[in-house]
């Protein structure tokens, strides 16, 4: 049995690393950026079914990880709260929650999502039910693996149905939402799940943005 993970395309990887290194110039060494980009490519390649745009997705994942690292390492950083939503596939529940919170928060909360076993693509109806509610979903959204950097940078970690694989970070606020999985469900059921998540997100946002007494 041979390893099915494709080799990293060196030239394109170096080009992507150079682009990211310029963005994080003065924060991370180019070698650190390249290492994280190569690791991001490896993580995505393990579950990819379509690999034509894998290097582009790896750059986006590496960018998110670098931003999380920069936040974690910043001295006395004053920033908006960071919320991480986690489910098993990062294809349904966590994507719904992240999109709704991003839409409602309007920049007052930094939002990310990930999966303990990321799926190849989003669940059916996710984009549709969000559009029905007036919530935009970026064209470049894709299921992402859970990494140490995003967990460490989060102020609040919300898990939904990933069981023992869910992260429970020490020193962070941790919430577990018992929300049904929309995978394979008819659109009426996915709408109900969207609304259930939406109610929880609204309560979380109100709590995060409540003025200190």
């Amino acid at each position: 049995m041979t390893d099915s993970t494709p080799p990293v395309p060196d030239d394109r990887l170096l080009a992507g690393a150079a682009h990211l290194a310029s963005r994080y110039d003065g924060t991370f060494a180019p070698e650190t950026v390249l290492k994280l980009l190569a690791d991001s490519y490896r993580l995505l390649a393990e579950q990819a079914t379509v690999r034509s745009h894998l290097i582009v997705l790896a750059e986006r994942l590496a960018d998110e990880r670098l931003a999380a690292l920069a936040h974690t390492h910043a001295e006395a950083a004053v920033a908006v709260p960071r919320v991480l939503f986690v489910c098993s596939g990062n294809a349904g529940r966590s994507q719904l929650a992240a999109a709704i919170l991003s839409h409602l928060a309007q920049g007052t909360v930094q939002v990310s999502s990930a999966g303990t076993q990321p799926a190849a693509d989003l669940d059916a109806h996710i984009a549709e039910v969000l559009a029905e509610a007036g919530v935009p979903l970026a064209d470049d959204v894709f299921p992402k693996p859970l990494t140490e950097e995003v967990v460490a940078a989060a102020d609040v970690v919300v898990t939904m149905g990933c069981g023992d694989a869910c992260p429970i970070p020490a020193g962070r606020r941790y919430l577990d939402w018992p929300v049904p999985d929309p995978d394979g469900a008819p659109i009426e059921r996915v709408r109900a799940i969207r609304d259930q998540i939406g109610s929880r997100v609204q309560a979380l946002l109100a709590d995060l943005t409540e003025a200190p007494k």
Side-chain angles (χ1 to χ4, degrees):
M1 183 175 180
T2 59
D3 185 1
S4 60
T5 301
V8 176
D10 293 337
D11 291 343
R12 294 187 64 196
L13 190 76
L14 291 172
H19 176 257
L20 288 171
S22 66
R23 181 178 302 178
Y24 292 95
D25 184 35
T27 304
F28 297 112
E31 294 80 8
T32 300
V33 174
L34 178 59
K35 181 178 179 181
L36 204 62
L37 177 56
D39 185 62
S40 296
Y41 181 92
R42 178 188 61 79
L43 289 172
L44 292 174
E46 288 175 353
Q47 51 88 29
T49 55
V50 178
R51 292 173 169 144
S52 56
H53 303 294
L54 198 55
I55 192 67
V56 175
L57 300 183
E59 282 189 48
R60 293 173 186 164
L61 177 58
D63 189 16
E64 182 174 332
R65 296 172 70 183
L66 288 164
L69 271 176
H71 172 81
T72 304
H73 293 168
E75 295 182 5
V78 177
V80 298
R82 298 176 70 95
V83 177
L84 169 64
F85 293 103
V86 184
C87 66
S88 55
N90 191 217
R93 289 165 288 192
S94 57
Q95 293 283 0
L96 287 169
I100 293 170
L101 181 54
S102 295
H103 177 64
L104 295 178
Q106 294 295 303
T108 62
V109 177
Q110 177 69 39
V111 185
S112 58
S113 67
T116 55
Q117 294 180 315
D121 204 350
L122 298 188
D123 292 341
H125 308 308
I126 295 300
E128 184 176 357
V129 300
L130 285 171
E132 290 174 354
V135 177
L137 185 67
D139 293 336
D140 60 357
V141 167
F142 63 99
K144 299 183 293 296
L146 185 66
T147 64
E148 295 179 1
E149 298 86 6
V150 294
V151 175
D155 299 299
V156 181
V157 176
V158 181
T159 60
M160 290 172 278
C162 46
D164 292 340
C166 285
I168 306 178
R172 302 291 190 276
R173 183 177 176 187
Y174 168 72
L175 301 170
D176 184 63
W177 291 353
V179 179
D181 189 350
D183 185 23
I187 192 167
E188 294 82 5
R189 183 61 174 154
V190 181
R191 289 188 183 111
I193 294 170
R194 174 204 61 198
D195 294 343
Q196 182 179 347
I197 290 175
S199 296
R200 290 179 178 273
V201 165
Q202 288 179 333
L204 175 60
L205 179 60
D207 185 44
L208 291 173
T209 57
E210 185 179 55
K213 298 179 181 178

